[in-house]
Amino acid sequence: MWRTLDKDLARDIALVCLADAVVGVSFGAITVSSGLPLWLPMLLSLVVFAGAAQFMFVGLVASGGNPIAAVIAGLLVNARHVPFGFAVGDLFGSSWAKRIVGSHLMIDETVAFALAQRDAERRRAAYWVCGVGLFVCWNIGVVLGAFGGTVVSDTDVFGLDAAFPAVLLALVLPSLKDRATRRAALAGVAIALATAPFLPAGLPVLLALAGVLVSGVGRSGDAAEPEKEAAA
Amino acid sequence: MISASTLIIATVVLGAGTFAFRFAGPVLRARVELSPRVEKLMAVAAVTLLAALVGTAALLDGHEFVGFARPAGVAVGGVLAWRKAPFVLVVLAAAATAACLRLLGVP
């Protein structure tokens, strides 16, 4: 599997892993410095392994929020993994062990790296290398941050908050050459941005899926979906 | 402060729920043969989600506009990616643009 991965792709994945590790350091440091126990960021990173939901959970709990509300908020942020799972679920093979491990490694970057590859072989390689790499780097970063304290508490100083959307954008861009995909994505972005000021985190991105209705993918061949062109 | 056992239970519930979300697709896909059209639909849905993540993460912090430095960085990265610049350059340029703008006092 590792041989399928060319040098360029390996380097790209390594860069994202490195950036992720730095964010992990900040997650560990922020969690501990906000008065939560040392083991919490490490346990969250192993068990949940989803950066945005982890930050959300810790932020709510640290500010005295109800832990049930924090769990629900985290789950809402993570609900996007359901459609992700349908898109990349065929990459894990038929063994249960691989399906379980592959599912746990599913995050935005692994999905984006996989979908950006040409053929099934490369998709599989990119998914696994990126998933394992990110899991290891993220957790190492979190441990360093939890013990090392506030060396890197604000990753915005390095512009890492701009790097992550740029990573996903670069990986998604080639898919947007397809007209139907582009229409769906643009409509989805518009829906998400229009609803984000009013809705809890996670929901606007899910609503963006309605953008797929305008893409026309569902009605090539037979008339499955009624025309929803006006929404675009 | 919340007790340790409460935090452990909350973490495990969040982890289990997240795993269920992740596991649903791979398991259900293994049981039914999907037509190429549905396959395509799944891929379009995932790309749409990722694009929506890019849009919200680039422009918003919670419910509010995040300031100019981050979207400017993402835009620089986007243009470079569109011009087929190497991935590493795209990512570093996005981060550097945002970082430099902040050094200059842009929020």
Side-chain angles (χ1 to χ4, degrees), chain A residues 11-12 39-40 48-49 61 71 75 78 82-83 86-87 90 92 99-100 103-104 106-108 115 156-159 161-162 166-169 173 178 184 189 196-197 199 205 208-209 217-218 220 222, chain B residues 1-2 7-8 10-11 14-15 17-19 21-23 25-26 28-30 37 40-42 44-46 48-55 60 63 70 74 78 82 87-88 91 94-95 98-99 102:
Chain A
R11 191 194 53 207
D12 296 351
W39 49 264
L40 183 66
V48 182
F49 185 49
V61 170
V71 168
L75 287 175
N78 281 343
V82 176
F86 278 97
D90 61 329
F92 305 160
R99 260 187 225 154
I100 289 169
S103 296
H104 193 55
M106 189 187 298
I107 49 168
D108 305 328
L115 290 178
D156 286 9
V157 174
F158 309 116
D161 58 321
V167 163
L168 296 182
L169 181 56
L173 216 50
D178 176 63
V189 171
L199 296 176
V205 174
L209 286 177
V217 178
S220 60
D222 52 52
Chain B
M1 184 92 319
I2 305 165
L7 281 177
I8 292 175
T11 300
L14 178 56
T18 301
F19 182 78
F21 288 150
R22 286 170 166 149
F23 203 43
L28 293 175
R29 276 198 66 140
R37 214 188 63 195
K40 166 98 200 244
L41 203 61
M42 303 284 183
V44 172
T48 303
L49 265 178
L50 289 168
L53 276 176
V54 171
L60 302 171
H63 297 294
R70 191 195 295 174
V74 177
W82 178 53
F87 181 81
V88 174
V91 177
R102 288 194 180 112

Coordinates of all heavy atoms in Angstrom, one line a residue, chain A residues 11-12 39-40 48-49 61 71 75 78 82-83 86-87 90 92 99-100 103-104 106-108 115 156-159 161-162 166-169 173 178 184 189 196-197 199 205 208-209 217-218 220 222, chain B residues 1-2 7-8 10-11 14-15 17-19 21-23 25-26 28-30 37 40-42 44-46 48-55 60 63 70 74 78 82 87-88 91 94-95 98-99 102:
Chain A
R11 N 4.5 13.7 0.7 CA 4.9 15.0 1.3 C 3.7 15.9 1.7 O 3.7 16.5 2.7 CB 5.8 15.7 0.3 CG 6.5 16.9 0.8 CD 7.1 17.7 -0.4 NE 6.0 18.0 -1.3 CZ 6.1 18.3 -2.6 NH1 7.3 18.2 -3.2 NH2 5.1 18.5 -3.4
D12 N 2.7 15.9 0.8 CA 1.5 16.7 1.1 C 0.8 16.2 2.4 O 0.4 17.0 3.2 CB 0.5 16.6 0.0 CG 1.0 17.2 -1.3 OD1 2.1 17.8 -1.3 OD2 0.4 17.0 -2.4
W39 N -5.6 14.3 31.9 CA -5.9 13.2 31.0 C -7.0 13.4 30.0 O -7.2 12.7 29.0 CB -6.2 11.9 31.9 CG -7.3 12.2 32.9 CD1 -7.0 12.5 34.2 CD2 -8.7 12.3 32.8 NE1 -8.2 12.8 34.9 CE2 -9.2 12.6 34.0 CE3 -9.6 12.1 31.7 CZ2 -10.6 12.7 34.2 CZ3 -10.9 12.2 31.9 CH2 -11.4 12.5 33.2
L40 N -7.8 14.5 30.3 CA -9.0 14.7 29.4 C -8.7 14.9 27.9 O -9.2 14.3 27.1 CB -9.9 15.8 30.0 CG -11.2 16.0 29.2 CD1 -12.1 14.8 29.3 CD2 -11.9 17.3 29.6
V48 N -12.4 10.2 20.6 CA -13.3 11.0 19.7 C -12.6 11.2 18.4 O -13.1 11.1 17.3 CB -13.8 12.3 20.3 CG1 -14.7 13.0 19.4 CG2 -14.5 12.0 21.7
F49 N -11.3 11.7 18.5 CA -10.5 12.0 17.3 C -11.2 12.8 16.2 O -11.4 12.4 15.1 CB -10.0 10.6 16.7 CG -9.0 10.8 15.5 CD1 -7.9 11.7 15.6 CD2 -9.2 10.2 14.3 CE1 -7.1 11.9 14.6 CE2 -8.3 10.4 13.2 CZ -7.3 11.2 13.4
V61 N -17.5 22.6 28.4 CA -17.3 22.1 29.7 C -16.5 23.0 30.6 O -16.8 23.3 31.7 CB -16.6 20.7 29.6 CG1 -16.2 20.2 31.0 CG2 -17.6 19.7 29.0
V71 N -21.9 17.2 25.0 CA -21.9 15.9 24.2 C -22.7 16.1 23.0 O -22.3 15.8 21.8 CB -22.3 14.7 25.0 CG1 -22.6 13.5 24.1 CG2 -21.3 14.4 26.1
L75 N -21.6 16.0 19.1 CA -22.2 15.0 18.2 C -22.8 15.7 16.9 O -22.7 15.2 15.8 CB -23.4 14.2 18.9 CG -22.9 13.2 19.9 CD1 -24.1 12.5 20.6 CD2 -22.0 12.1 19.2
N78 N -20.1 16.4 14.6 CA -19.6 15.2 14.0 C -20.6 14.5 13.1 O -20.2 13.5 12.4 CB -19.1 14.2 15.1 CG -17.7 14.7 15.6 OD1 -17.1 15.5 15.0 ND2 -17.4 14.1 16.8
V82 N -21.5 10.9 8.8 CA -22.4 9.9 8.1 C -22.3 10.0 6.6 O -22.0 9.0 6.0 CB -23.9 10.1 8.6 CG1 -24.8 9.2 7.9 CG2 -24.0 9.9 10.2
P83 N -22.6 11.1 6.0 CA -22.4 11.2 4.5 C -20.9 10.9 4.1 O -20.7 10.3 3.1 CB -22.8 12.6 4.2 CG -23.0 13.4 5.4 CD -23.2 12.4 6.5
F86 N -20.5 7.2 3.7 CA -21.1 6.7 2.5 C -20.2 6.9 1.3 O -20.1 6.1 0.4 CB -22.5 7.2 2.3 CG -23.5 6.5 3.1 CD1 -24.0 7.0 4.3 CD2 -24.1 5.3 2.6 CE1 -24.9 6.4 5.0 CE2 -25.0 4.6 3.4 CZ -25.4 5.2 4.6
A87 N -19.5 8.0 1.3 CA -18.6 8.4 0.2 C -17.3 7.6 0.2 O -16.8 7.2 -0.9 CB -18.3 9.9 0.2
D90 N -16.3 2.4 0.8 CA -15.9 1.2 0.0 C -14.4 1.0 0.0 O -13.9 0.1 -0.6 CB -16.4 1.4 -1.4 CG -15.9 2.6 -2.1 OD1 -15.6 3.6 -1.3 OD2 -15.7 2.6 -3.3
F92 N -12.5 0.4 2.6 CA -12.0 -0.3 3.8 C -11.9 -1.8 3.6 O -11.4 -2.5 4.4 CB -12.9 0.0 5.0 CG -13.0 1.4 5.4 CD1 -14.1 1.9 6.1 CD2 -12.2 2.4 4.9 CE1 -14.2 3.2 6.4 CE2 -12.3 3.7 5.2 CZ -13.4 4.1 6.0
R99 N -12.7 -2.3 8.7 CA -13.8 -1.4 8.7 C -13.9 -0.5 9.9 O -14.2 0.7 9.9 CB -15.1 -2.2 8.5 CG -15.6 -2.2 7.1 CD -17.0 -2.8 7.1 NE -17.0 -3.7 6.0 CZ -17.8 -4.8 5.9 NH1 -18.6 -5.1 6.9 NH2 -17.8 -5.6 4.9
I100 N -13.6 -1.2 11.1 CA -13.7 -0.5 12.4 C -12.6 0.6 12.5 O -12.8 1.7 12.8 CB -13.6 -1.5 13.5 CG1 -14.9 -2.3 13.6 CG2 -13.4 -0.8 14.9 CD1 -14.9 -3.5 14.5
S103 N -13.0 3.4 9.9 CA -14.1 4.3 10.3 C -13.6 5.3 11.4 O -13.9 6.5 11.3 CB -15.3 3.5 10.9 OG -15.9 2.7 9.9
H104 N -12.8 4.8 12.3 CA -12.3 5.7 13.4 C -11.4 6.7 12.9 O -11.3 7.8 13.4 CB -11.7 4.8 14.5 CG -11.4 5.6 15.8 ND1 -12.4 6.3 16.4 CD2 -10.3 5.8 16.5 CE1 -11.9 6.9 17.5 NE2 -10.6 6.6 17.5
M106 N -11.7 8.3 10.1 CA -12.4 9.2 9.2 C -12.5 10.6 9.7 O -13.2 10.9 10.7 CB -13.8 8.6 9.0 CG -14.6 9.3 7.8 SD -16.3 8.6 7.9 CE -16.0 6.9 7.6
I107 N -11.8 11.6 9.1 CA -12.0 13.0 9.4 C -11.9 13.7 8.1 O -11.6 13.2 7.0 CB -10.9 13.5 10.4 CG1 -9.5 13.1 10.0 CG2 -11.2 13.0 11.8 CD1 -8.5 13.9 10.8
D108 N -12.2 15.1 8.2 CA -12.2 15.9 7.0 C -11.1 15.6 6.0 O -11.2 15.4 4.8 CB -12.3 17.4 7.3 CG -13.4 17.7 8.3 OD1 -14.5 17.0 8.2 OD2 -13.2 18.6 9.1
L115 N -10.7 11.5 -1.7 CA -11.6 11.8 -2.9 C -10.8 12.5 -4.0 O -11.2 12.5 -5.1 CB -12.8 12.7 -2.4 CG -13.8 12.0 -1.5 CD1 -14.9 13.0 -1.1 CD2 -14.5 10.9 -2.3
D156 N -3.4 30.8 15.8 CA -3.8 31.8 14.8 C -2.5 32.7 14.4 O -2.5 33.2 13.3 CB -4.9 32.7 15.3 CG -6.2 32.0 15.3 OD1 -6.2 30.7 15.1 OD2 -7.2 32.6 15.6
V157 N -1.6 32.8 15.4 CA -0.4 33.6 15.1 C 0.3 33.1 13.9 O 0.9 33.9 13.1 CB 0.5 33.6 16.4 CG1 1.8 34.3 16.1 CG2 -0.2 34.2 17.6
F158 N 0.3 31.8 13.7 CA 1.0 31.2 12.6 C 0.1 31.1 11.4 O 0.5 30.5 10.3 CB 1.5 29.7 12.9 CG 2.3 29.7 14.2 CD1 1.9 28.9 15.3 CD2 3.5 30.4 14.3 CE1 2.6 28.9 16.4 CE2 4.2 30.3 15.5 CZ 3.8 29.6 16.5
G159 N -1.1 31.5 11.5 CA -2.0 31.4 10.4 C -2.6 30.1 10.1 O -3.1 29.8 9.1
D161 N -5.1 28.7 11.2 CA -6.6 28.7 11.0 C -6.9 29.0 9.6 O -8.0 28.6 9.1 CB -7.2 29.8 11.9 CG -6.7 31.2 11.6 OD1 -5.4 31.3 11.4 OD2 -7.4 32.2 11.6
A162 N -6.0 29.6 8.8 CA -6.2 29.8 7.4 C -5.7 28.6 6.6 O -6.2 28.3 5.5 CB -5.5 31.1 6.9
A166 N -7.6 26.1 3.6 CA -6.9 26.0 2.3 C -6.5 24.6 1.9 O -6.6 24.3 0.7 CB -5.6 26.9 2.5
V167 N -6.2 23.8 2.9 CA -5.9 22.3 2.6 C -7.2 21.7 2.0 O -7.1 21.1 0.9 CB -5.6 21.6 3.9 CG1 -5.7 20.1 3.8 CG2 -4.2 21.9 4.4
L168 N -8.3 21.9 2.6 CA -9.5 21.3 2.1 C -9.9 21.8 0.7 O -10.3 21.1 -0.2 CB -10.7 21.4 3.0 CG -10.6 20.7 4.4 CD1 -11.8 21.0 5.3 CD2 -10.3 19.3 4.2
L169 N -9.7 23.2 0.6 CA -10.0 23.8 -0.7 C -9.2 23.3 -1.8 O -9.7 22.9 -2.9 CB -9.8 25.4 -0.6 CG -10.1 26.2 -1.8 CD1 -11.6 26.0 -2.3 CD2 -9.9 27.7 -1.5
L173 N -10.8 21.3 -5.0 CA -10.9 22.1 -6.2 C -11.0 21.3 -7.5 O -11.8 21.6 -8.4 CB -9.7 23.1 -6.3 CG -9.9 24.5 -6.9 CD1 -11.1 25.1 -6.3 CD2 -8.7 25.3 -6.7
D178 N -16.1 19.3 -12.5 CA -17.4 18.7 -12.9 C -18.5 19.7 -12.7 O -18.7 20.2 -11.5 CB -17.5 17.4 -12.1 CG -18.9 16.8 -12.5 OD1 -19.1 16.4 -13.6 OD2 -19.7 16.7 -11.5
A184 N -23.6 21.9 -7.1 CA -24.0 21.4 -5.7 C -23.1 22.1 -4.7 O -23.7 22.6 -3.6 CB -23.8 19.9 -5.7
V189 N -22.4 25.8 -0.2 CA -21.6 26.9 0.5 C -22.6 28.0 0.8 O -22.6 28.6 2.0 CB -20.4 27.4 -0.3 CG1 -19.8 28.6 0.3 CG2 -19.4 26.3 -0.4
A196 N -25.4 29.8 9.0 CA -24.5 29.7 10.1 C -24.7 30.7 11.2 O -24.5 30.4 12.4 CB -23.1 29.7 9.6
P197 N -25.1 32.0 10.9 CA -25.2 32.9 12.0 C -26.4 32.6 12.9 O -26.4 33.1 14.1 CB -25.6 34.3 11.2 CG -25.0 34.1 9.9 CD -25.1 32.6 9.6
L199 N -27.7 29.2 13.4 CA -27.9 27.8 13.9 C -26.6 27.3 14.6 O -25.6 27.9 14.5 CB -28.0 26.9 12.6 CG -29.3 27.1 11.8 CD1 -29.3 26.3 10.6 CD2 -30.5 26.8 12.7
V205 N -23.5 23.0 7.9 CA -22.8 22.2 7.0 C -23.6 21.0 6.5 O -23.6 20.6 5.4 CB -21.4 21.7 7.6 CG1 -20.7 20.7 6.8 CG2 -20.5 22.9 8.0
A208 N -26.1 22.1 4.0 CA -25.4 22.3 2.7 C -25.7 21.2 1.8 O -25.7 21.3 0.5 CB -23.9 22.5 2.9
L209 N -26.0 20.0 2.3 CA -26.3 18.8 1.5 C -27.5 19.1 0.6 O -27.6 18.4 -0.4 CB -26.5 17.6 2.4 CG -25.3 17.0 3.1 CD1 -25.7 15.8 4.0 CD2 -24.3 16.5 2.0
V217 N -27.3 15.5 -10.4 CA -26.7 14.2 -10.4 C -27.8 13.1 -10.3 O -27.7 12.1 -11.0 CB -25.7 14.0 -9.3 CG1 -25.1 12.6 -9.3 CG2 -24.6 15.0 -9.4
G218 N -28.7 13.4 -9.4 CA -29.8 12.4 -9.2 C -30.7 12.2 -10.3 O -31.5 11.3 -10.3
S220 N -29.9 12.2 -13.8 CA -29.3 11.8 -15.1 C -29.9 10.4 -15.5 O -30.0 9.6 -14.6 CB -27.8 11.7 -15.1 OG -27.4 10.8 -14.1
D222 N -33.0 8.7 -15.6 CA -34.4 8.8 -15.4 C -34.8 10.0 -14.6 O -34.0 10.6 -13.9 CB -34.9 7.5 -14.8 CG -34.2 7.1 -13.5 OD1 -34.0 8.0 -12.7 OD2 -33.6 6.0 -13.4
Chain B
M1 N -16.4 22.4 39.7 CA -15.9 21.6 38.5 C -16.6 20.3 38.4 O -16.9 19.7 39.4 CB -14.4 21.5 38.7 CG -13.7 20.8 37.5 SD -13.0 21.7 36.1 CE -14.0 23.0 35.7
I2 N -16.7 19.8 37.2 CA -17.4 18.5 37.0 C -16.5 17.4 37.5 O -15.3 17.4 37.3 CB -17.7 18.4 35.5 CG1 -18.5 19.6 35.0 CG2 -18.4 17.1 35.2 CD1 -18.5 19.7 33.5
L7 N -16.9 13.4 33.4 CA -16.1 13.7 32.2 C -15.8 12.5 31.4 O -15.8 12.5 30.1 CB -14.8 14.4 32.6 CG -14.9 15.9 33.0 CD1 -13.6 16.4 33.4 CD2 -15.5 16.7 31.8
I8 N -15.5 11.4 32.1 CA -15.1 10.1 31.4 C -16.4 9.6 30.6 O -16.3 9.3 29.4 CB -14.6 9.0 32.3 CG1 -13.2 9.5 32.9 CG2 -14.5 7.7 31.6 CD1 -12.7 8.5 33.9
A10 N -19.0 11.3 29.6 CA -19.3 12.2 28.5 C -18.4 12.0 27.3 O -18.8 11.9 26.2 CB -19.2 13.7 29.0
T11 N -17.1 11.8 27.6 CA -16.1 11.5 26.5 C -16.4 10.2 25.8 O -16.4 10.2 24.6 CB -14.7 11.5 27.1 OG1 -14.4 12.7 27.8 CG2 -13.7 11.2 26.0
L14 N -19.6 10.7 23.7 CA -19.3 11.4 22.5 C -18.5 10.6 21.5 O -18.7 10.6 20.3 CB -18.5 12.7 22.9 CG -18.0 13.6 21.7 CD1 -19.2 14.0 20.9 CD2 -17.3 14.8 22.3
G15 N -17.5 9.8 22.0 CA -16.7 8.9 21.2 C -17.6 7.8 20.5 O -17.4 7.6 19.3
G17 N -20.9 7.8 20.0 CA -21.8 8.4 19.0 C -21.1 8.8 17.7 O -21.5 8.5 16.6
T18 N -19.9 9.4 17.9 CA -19.1 9.8 16.7 C -18.7 8.5 15.9 O -18.8 8.5 14.7 CB -17.8 10.5 17.1 OG1 -18.2 11.7 17.9 CG2 -17.0 10.9 15.9
F19 N -18.3 7.5 16.6 CA -18.0 6.2 15.9 C -19.2 5.7 15.1 O -19.1 5.2 14.0 CB -17.4 5.2 16.9 CG -17.0 3.9 16.1 CD1 -15.8 3.9 15.4 CD2 -17.8 2.8 16.1 CE1 -15.4 2.8 14.7 CE2 -17.4 1.7 15.4 CZ -16.2 1.6 14.7
F21 N -21.6 7.3 13.8 CA -21.8 8.1 12.6 C -20.8 7.7 11.5 O -21.1 7.5 10.4 CB -21.5 9.6 12.9 CG -22.5 10.3 13.7 CD1 -22.2 11.4 14.6 CD2 -23.9 10.0 13.6 CE1 -23.2 12.0 15.3 CE2 -24.9 10.6 14.3 CZ -24.5 11.6 15.2
R22 N -19.5 7.4 12.0 CA -18.5 7.1 11.0 C -18.7 5.7 10.4 O -18.4 5.4 9.3 CB -17.1 7.1 11.7 CG -16.6 8.5 11.9 CD -15.4 8.5 12.8 NE -14.7 9.7 12.8 CZ -14.0 10.2 13.8 NH1 -13.9 9.5 15.0 NH2 -13.4 11.4 13.8
F23 N -19.3 4.8 11.3 CA -19.4 3.4 10.9 C -20.6 3.1 10.1 O -20.6 2.1 9.3 CB -19.5 2.6 12.2 CG -19.1 1.1 12.1 CD1 -17.9 0.8 11.4 CD2 -19.8 0.2 12.8 CE1 -17.6 -0.5 11.3 CE2 -19.4 -1.2 12.7 CZ -18.3 -1.5 12.0
G25 N -21.9 4.4 7.3 CA -21.7 4.3 5.9 C -21.0 3.1 5.4 O -21.6 2.3 4.6
P26 N -19.8 2.8 6.0 CA -19.1 1.6 5.6 C -19.9 0.3 5.8 O -19.9 -0.6 4.9 CB -17.9 1.6 6.5 CG -17.7 3.0 6.8 CD -19.0 3.7 6.8
L28 N -23.4 -0.1 6.0 CA -24.6 -0.1 5.1 C -24.2 -0.3 3.6 O -24.8 -1.0 2.9 CB -25.4 1.1 5.3 CG -26.1 1.3 6.6 CD1 -26.8 2.6 6.8 CD2 -27.1 0.1 6.9
R29 N -23.0 0.3 3.3 CA -22.6 0.2 1.9 C -22.2 -1.3 1.6 O -22.3 -1.7 0.4 CB -21.3 1.0 1.7 CG -21.7 2.4 1.3 CD -20.5 3.1 0.7 NE -20.2 2.5 -0.6 CZ -19.8 3.2 -1.6 NH1 -19.7 4.4 -1.6 NH2 -19.5 2.5 -2.7
A30 N -21.7 -2.0 2.6 CA -21.3 -3.4 2.3 C -22.5 -4.3 2.1 O -22.4 -5.4 1.5 CB -20.5 -3.9 3.5
R37 N -24.8 5.8 -10.3 CA -25.4 7.1 -10.1 C -25.4 7.4 -8.7 O -25.1 8.6 -8.3 CB -26.8 7.1 -10.7 CG -27.2 8.4 -11.3 CD -28.7 8.4 -11.6 NE -29.5 8.2 -10.4 CZ -30.8 7.9 -10.5 NH1 -31.4 7.7 -11.6 NH2 -31.4 7.7 -9.4
K40 N -22.0 8.3 -7.5 CA -21.6 9.6 -7.9 C -22.3 10.6 -6.9 O -21.7 11.6 -6.5 CB -22.1 9.9 -9.3 CG -22.1 11.3 -9.7 CD -20.8 11.7 -10.5 CE -20.6 13.2 -10.5 NZ -20.7 13.9 -11.7
L41 N -23.5 10.3 -6.6 CA -24.3 11.2 -5.6 C -23.5 11.3 -4.3 O -23.4 12.4 -3.7 CB -25.7 10.6 -5.5 CG -26.8 11.6 -5.0 CD1 -26.9 12.7 -6.0 CD2 -28.1 10.9 -4.8
M42 N -23.0 10.2 -3.8 CA -22.3 10.1 -2.5 C -21.1 11.0 -2.6 O -20.8 11.8 -1.6 CB -21.9 8.7 -2.2 CG -23.0 7.7 -2.1 SD -23.9 7.9 -0.6 CE -25.0 6.5 -0.8
V44 N -20.5 13.5 -4.7 CA -20.9 14.9 -4.8 C -21.3 15.4 -3.4 O -21.0 16.6 -3.0 CB -22.1 15.1 -5.8 CG1 -22.6 16.5 -5.8 CG2 -21.6 14.8 -7.2
A45 N -22.0 14.6 -2.6 CA -22.4 15.0 -1.3 C -21.2 15.3 -0.4 O -21.2 16.3 0.3 CB -23.3 14.0 -0.7
A46 N -20.2 14.4 -0.5 CA -19.0 14.6 0.4 C -18.3 15.9 -0.1 O -17.8 16.7 0.8 CB -18.1 13.4 0.3
T48 N -19.6 18.5 -1.5 CA -20.4 19.6 -1.1 C -20.2 20.0 0.4 O -20.1 21.1 0.8 CB -21.9 19.3 -1.4 OG1 -22.0 19.0 -2.7 CG2 -22.8 20.5 -1.0
L49 N -20.2 18.9 1.2 CA -19.9 19.1 2.7 C -18.6 19.7 2.9 O -18.4 20.7 3.7 CB -19.9 17.7 3.3 CG -21.2 17.2 4.0 CD1 -21.0 15.9 4.6 CD2 -21.6 18.2 5.1
L50 N -17.5 19.2 2.2 CA -16.2 19.8 2.4 C -16.1 21.2 2.0 O -15.5 22.1 2.6 CB -15.2 18.9 1.6 CG -14.9 17.5 2.2 CD1 -14.1 16.7 1.2 CD2 -14.1 17.6 3.5
A51 N -16.8 21.5 0.8 CA -16.8 22.9 0.4 C -17.5 23.8 1.4 O -17.1 24.9 1.6 CB -17.5 23.0 -1.0
A52 N -18.6 23.3 2.0 CA -19.3 24.1 3.0 C -18.5 24.3 4.2 O -18.5 25.4 4.8 CB -20.6 23.4 3.4
L53 N -17.7 23.3 4.6 CA -16.7 23.4 5.7 C -15.7 24.5 5.4 O -15.3 25.4 6.2 CB -16.0 22.1 5.9 CG -16.7 21.1 6.8 CD1 -15.8 19.8 6.8 CD2 -16.9 21.6 8.2
V54 N -15.2 24.5 4.1 CA -14.2 25.5 3.7 C -14.8 26.9 3.9 O -14.2 27.8 4.4 CB -13.8 25.3 2.2 CG1 -12.9 26.5 1.8 CG2 -13.0 24.0 2.1
G55 N -16.0 27.1 3.3 CA -16.7 28.4 3.4 C -16.9 28.9 4.8 O -16.6 30.0 5.1
L60 N -16.1 32.4 9.2 CA -16.8 32.6 10.4 C -16.1 32.0 11.6 O -15.4 31.0 11.5 CB -18.2 31.9 10.3 CG -19.1 32.4 9.2 CD1 -20.3 31.5 9.1 CD2 -19.6 33.8 9.5
H63 N -20.6 32.2 15.3 CA -21.7 32.8 14.5 C -21.3 34.1 13.8 O -22.1 34.8 13.2 CB -22.9 33.1 15.4 CG -23.5 31.9 16.0 ND1 -24.1 30.9 15.2 CD2 -23.5 31.4 17.3 CE1 -24.5 29.9 16.0 NE2 -24.2 30.2 17.3
R70 N -7.9 35.7 8.1 CA -8.1 34.3 7.7 C -8.7 34.2 6.3 O -8.1 33.4 5.5 CB -9.0 33.6 8.7 CG -9.0 32.1 8.5 CD -10.1 31.4 9.3 NE -9.9 31.5 10.7 CZ -10.9 31.1 11.6 NH1 -12.0 30.5 11.2 NH2 -10.7 31.2 12.9
V74 N -7.0 32.2 3.1 CA -7.6 31.1 2.3 C -7.8 31.5 0.9 O -7.5 30.6 0.0 CB -9.0 30.8 3.0 CG1 -9.7 29.7 2.2 CG2 -8.8 30.3 4.4
G78 N -6.4 29.5 -2.3 CA -7.3 29.1 -3.3 C -6.9 29.5 -4.7 O -7.0 28.7 -5.6
W82 N -5.9 27.0 -7.6 CA -6.5 27.1 -8.9 C -5.5 27.2 -10.1 O -5.7 26.7 -11.2 CB -7.5 28.3 -8.9 CG -8.2 28.6 -10.2 CD1 -9.0 27.7 -10.9 CD2 -8.2 29.8 -10.9 NE1 -9.5 28.3 -12.0 CE2 -9.1 29.6 -12.0 CE3 -7.7 31.1 -10.7 CZ2 -9.3 30.6 -12.9 CZ3 -7.9 32.1 -11.6 CH2 -8.7 31.8 -12.7
F87 N 0.8 21.8 -3.7 CA 0.0 21.8 -2.5 C 0.7 22.4 -1.3 O 0.1 23.2 -0.6 CB -0.3 20.3 -2.1 CG -1.2 20.1 -0.9 CD1 -2.6 20.3 -1.0 CD2 -0.6 19.7 0.3 CE1 -3.3 20.1 0.1 CE2 -1.4 19.5 1.4 CZ -2.8 19.7 1.3
V88 N 2.0 22.1 -1.1 CA 2.8 22.7 0.0 C 2.8 24.2 -0.1 O 2.6 24.9 0.9 CB 4.2 22.1 0.0 CG1 5.0 22.8 1.0 CG2 4.2 20.6 0.2
V91 N -0.7 25.7 1.0 CA -0.9 25.7 2.4 C 0.0 26.7 3.1 O -0.5 27.5 4.0 CB -0.7 24.3 3.0 CG1 -0.9 24.2 4.5 CG2 -1.6 23.3 2.3
A94 N -1.2 30.3 2.4 CA -2.4 30.6 3.1 C -2.1 31.0 4.6 O -2.5 32.0 5.1 CB -3.4 29.5 3.1
A95 N -1.2 30.2 5.2 CA -0.9 30.4 6.6 C 0.0 31.7 6.7 O -0.3 32.6 7.6 CB -0.1 29.2 7.2
A98 N -2.2 35.0 6.3 CA -2.9 35.3 7.5 C -2.0 35.8 8.6 O -2.3 36.8 9.3 CB -3.7 34.1 7.9
A99 N -0.9 35.1 8.8 CA 0.0 35.5 9.9 C 0.6 36.8 9.7 O 0.6 37.7 10.6 CB 1.2 34.4 10.0
R102 N -1.9 39.6 10.3 CA -2.1 39.8 11.8 C -1.0 40.6 12.4 O -1.2 41.4 13.2 CB -2.3 38.5 12.5 CG -3.6 37.8 12.1 CD -4.0 36.7 13.0 NE -5.3 36.2 12.6 CZ -5.5 35.0 12.0 NH1 -4.5 34.2 11.9 NH2 -6.7 34.7 11.7

